[in-house]
Amino acid sequence: MRHSSREYAGVPLDNPIFNRRAARNDISKAQLAVRSQQLAVTQTVQAKYEFVFRSKILDFYRGKPLQL
């Protein structure tokens, strides 16, 4: 009598299809972070412009010639 053995191989699947929209939420958070960064850059540029503008106004009232 022959002894037959059976071997099995399996691959575990851990890929949830419905992960409570975590991927979509992560994408939304990343897009919000990018927009916030763009806003911060815009505000920085605007603050620099206002500083130069106000400095030139003060120079004008001090009698200094205007130079760009």
Side-chain angles (χ1 to χ4, degrees):
M1 194 168 185
R2 227 162 60 165
H3 180 42
S4 64
S5 65
R6 296 183 183 177
E7 295 180 19
Y8 296 98
V11 177
L13 296 176
D14 189 24
N15 189 5
I17 295 173
F18 300 106
N19 57 358
R20 297 186 186 170
R21 297 182 182 156
R24 182 178 291 174
N25 289 339
D26 290 343
I27 291 170
S28 296
K29 287 178 185 177
Q31 289 173 341
L32 182 61
V34 168
R35 289 180 187 161
S36 296
Q37 185 66 27
Q38 290 172 344
L39 180 61
V41 169
T42 302
Q43 289 175 339
T44 302
V45 170
Q46 185 176 359
K48 288 179 182 179
Y49 172 78
E50 287 183 24
F51 173 76
V52 170
F53 180 72
R54 291 178 184 195
S55 295
K56 293 299 177 183
I57 290 174
L58 290 174
D59 288 346
F60 175 77
Y61 284 115
R62 289 181 187 149
K64 293 183 181 179
L66 294 178
Q67 295 178 357
L68 297 177

